[in-house]
Coordinates of all heavy atoms in Angstrom, one line a residue:
G238 N 60.9 -16.6 56.4 CA 61.5 -15.8 57.5 C 60.7 -15.9 58.7 O 59.8 -16.8 58.9
T239 N 60.9 -15.1 59.7 CA 60.2 -15.1 60.9 C 60.3 -13.7 61.6 O 61.2 -13.0 61.4 CB 60.7 -16.1 61.9 OG1 59.9 -16.1 63.2 CG2 62.1 -16.0 62.2
D240 N 59.2 -13.4 62.4 CA 59.2 -12.1 63.2 C 59.6 -12.4 64.6 O 60.0 -11.5 65.3 CB 57.9 -11.5 63.1 CG 57.7 -10.8 61.7 OD1 57.5 -11.5 60.7 OD2 57.7 -9.5 61.7
R241 N 59.4 -13.6 65.1 CA 59.8 -13.9 66.5 C 59.8 -15.5 66.6 O 58.9 -16.1 66.1 CB 58.8 -13.3 67.5 CG 59.4 -13.4 68.9 CD 58.4 -12.9 70.0 NE 58.1 -11.5 69.8 CZ 57.8 -10.6 70.8 NH1 57.9 -11.0 72.0 NH2 57.4 -9.4 70.5
V242 N 60.8 -16.0 67.3 CA 60.9 -17.4 67.6 C 60.9 -17.5 69.1 O 61.7 -16.8 69.8 CB 62.2 -18.0 67.0 CG1 62.3 -19.5 67.4 CG2 62.2 -17.9 65.5
A243 N 60.0 -18.3 69.7 CA 60.0 -18.6 71.1 C 61.2 -19.5 71.6 O 61.8 -20.1 70.7 CB 58.7 -19.2 71.5
S244 N 61.4 -19.5 72.9 CA 62.5 -20.3 73.4 C 62.4 -21.8 73.1 O 63.4 -22.5 73.1 CB 62.7 -20.0 74.9 OG 61.6 -20.5 75.6
N245 N 61.2 -22.3 72.8 CA 61.0 -23.7 72.5 C 61.1 -24.0 71.0 O 60.9 -25.2 70.6 CB 59.7 -24.2 73.1 CG 58.5 -23.6 72.4 OD1 58.6 -22.6 71.7 ND2 57.3 -24.3 72.5
G246 N 61.3 -23.0 70.2 CA 61.5 -23.2 68.8 C 60.2 -22.9 68.0 O 60.2 -23.0 66.8
D247 N 59.1 -22.5 68.7 CA 57.9 -22.1 67.9 C 58.2 -20.9 67.2 O 58.9 -20.0 67.7 CB 56.7 -21.9 68.9 CG 56.2 -23.2 69.6 OD1 56.6 -24.3 69.1 OD2 55.4 -23.0 70.5
V248 N 57.6 -20.7 66.0 CA 57.9 -19.6 65.1 C 56.7 -18.8 64.7 O 55.7 -19.4 64.3 CB 58.5 -20.2 63.8 CG1 58.7 -19.1 62.7 CG2 59.8 -20.9 64.1
A249 N 56.8 -17.5 64.9 CA 55.7 -16.6 64.4 C 56.1 -16.0 63.1 O 57.2 -15.4 63.0 CB 55.4 -15.5 65.4
N250 N 55.3 -16.1 62.1 CA 55.6 -15.5 60.8 C 54.3 -15.1 60.2 O 53.2 -15.3 60.7 CB 56.3 -16.5 59.9 CG 56.9 -15.8 58.6 OD1 57.6 -14.8 58.7 ND2 56.7 -16.4 57.5
K251 N 54.3 -14.5 59.0 CA 53.2 -13.9 58.3 C 52.0 -15.0 58.3 O 52.3 -16.1 58.1 CB 53.5 -13.5 56.9 CG 52.4 -12.7 56.2 CD 52.0 -11.5 57.0 CE 53.1 -10.6 57.4 NZ 52.7 -9.5 58.3
I252 N 50.8 -14.5 58.5 CA 49.7 -15.4 58.5 C 49.6 -16.3 57.3 O 49.9 -15.8 56.1 CB 48.4 -14.5 58.6 CG1 47.1 -15.4 58.9 CG2 48.2 -13.7 57.4 CD1 47.1 -15.8 60.4
G253 N 49.4 -17.5 57.5 CA 49.4 -18.5 56.4 C 50.6 -19.4 56.4 O 50.6 -20.5 55.8
T254 N 51.7 -19.0 57.2 CA 52.9 -19.8 57.3 C 52.6 -21.2 57.9 O 53.1 -22.2 57.5 CB 53.9 -19.1 58.1 OG1 54.2 -17.9 57.4 CG2 55.2 -19.9 58.2
Y255 N 51.7 -21.2 59.0 CA 51.4 -22.4 59.7 C 50.8 -23.4 58.7 O 51.1 -24.6 58.7 CB 50.4 -22.1 60.8 CG 49.9 -23.3 61.5 CD1 50.7 -24.4 61.9 CD2 48.5 -23.4 61.9 CE1 50.1 -25.5 62.6 CE2 48.0 -24.4 62.6 CZ 48.8 -25.5 62.9 OH 48.3 -26.6 63.6
M256 N 49.9 -23.0 57.8 CA 49.3 -23.9 56.8 C 50.3 -24.5 55.9 O 50.3 -25.7 55.6 CB 48.2 -23.2 56.0 CG 47.0 -22.8 56.8 SD 45.7 -22.1 55.7 CE 46.4 -20.7 55.0
V257 N 51.3 -23.7 55.5 CA 52.4 -24.1 54.6 C 53.2 -25.2 55.3 O 53.6 -26.2 54.8 CB 53.3 -23.0 54.2 CG1 54.5 -23.5 53.4 CG2 52.5 -22.0 53.3
A258 N 53.5 -25.0 56.6 CA 54.3 -25.9 57.4 C 53.6 -27.3 57.6 O 54.2 -28.3 57.5 CB 54.6 -25.3 58.8
V259 N 52.2 -27.2 57.8 CA 51.5 -28.5 57.9 C 51.5 -29.2 56.6 O 51.7 -30.5 56.6 CB 50.0 -28.1 58.3 CG1 49.1 -29.4 58.2 CG2 50.0 -27.6 59.8
L260 N 51.3 -28.5 55.5 CA 51.3 -29.2 54.2 C 52.7 -29.8 53.9 O 52.8 -30.9 53.4 CB 50.9 -28.2 53.1 CG 49.5 -27.8 53.1 CD1 49.3 -26.5 52.2 CD2 48.6 -28.9 52.5
A261 N 53.8 -29.0 54.2 CA 55.1 -29.5 54.0 C 55.3 -30.8 54.8 O 55.9 -31.8 54.3 CB 56.1 -28.5 54.4
S262 N 54.9 -30.8 56.0 CA 55.0 -32.0 56.9 C 54.3 -33.2 56.3 O 54.8 -34.3 56.2 CB 54.5 -31.7 58.3 OG 54.6 -32.9 59.1
R263 N 53.1 -32.9 55.8 CA 52.2 -34.0 55.2 C 52.9 -34.6 54.0 O 52.8 -35.8 53.7 CB 50.9 -33.4 54.8 CG 50.0 -34.3 53.9 CD 49.5 -35.5 54.6 NE 48.6 -36.3 53.8 CZ 49.0 -37.2 52.9 NH1 50.3 -37.3 52.7 NH2 48.1 -37.8 52.2
H264 N 53.7 -33.8 53.2 CA 54.3 -34.3 52.0 C 55.8 -34.6 52.1 O 56.5 -34.9 51.1 CB 54.1 -33.3 50.9 CG 52.6 -33.1 50.5 ND1 51.8 -32.2 51.0 CD2 51.9 -33.9 49.6 CE1 50.6 -32.3 50.5 NE2 50.6 -33.3 49.6
G265 N 56.3 -34.6 53.4 CA 57.7 -34.9 53.6 C 58.7 -33.9 53.0 O 59.8 -34.3 52.6
I266 N 58.3 -32.6 53.0 CA 59.1 -31.6 52.4 C 59.8 -30.8 53.5 O 59.1 -30.4 54.5 CB 58.3 -30.6 51.5 CG1 57.7 -31.4 50.3 CG2 59.1 -29.4 51.0 CD1 56.7 -30.6 49.5
P267 N 61.1 -30.6 53.5 CA 61.8 -29.9 54.6 C 61.2 -28.4 54.7 O 61.1 -27.8 53.6 CB 63.2 -29.9 54.2 CG 63.3 -30.2 52.8 CD 62.1 -31.1 52.5
F268 N 61.1 -28.0 55.9 CA 60.5 -26.6 56.2 C 61.6 -25.9 57.0 O 61.8 -26.2 58.2 CB 59.2 -26.7 56.9 CG 58.6 -25.4 57.3 CD1 57.7 -24.8 56.4 CD2 58.9 -24.8 58.5 CE1 57.1 -23.6 56.7 CE2 58.3 -23.6 58.8 CZ 57.4 -22.9 57.9
Y269 N 62.2 -24.9 56.4 CA 63.3 -24.2 57.0 C 62.9 -22.7 57.3 O 62.1 -22.1 56.6 CB 64.6 -24.1 56.2 CG 65.2 -25.5 55.9 CD1 65.1 -26.0 54.6 CD2 65.8 -26.2 56.9 CE1 65.6 -27.3 54.3 CE2 66.4 -27.4 56.6 CZ 66.3 -28.0 55.3 OH 66.8 -29.2 55.0

Side-chain angles (χ1 to χ4, degrees):
T239 176
D240 284 71
R241 191 182 302 211
V242 177
S244 64
N245 69 340
D247 291 350
V248 173
N250 193 47
K251 188 56 57 187
I252 193 76
T254 302
Y255 175 43
M256 293 189 296
V257 172
V259 170
L260 287 165
S262 177
R263 168 69 177 81
H264 293 93
I266 296 170
F268 179 90
Y269 298 110

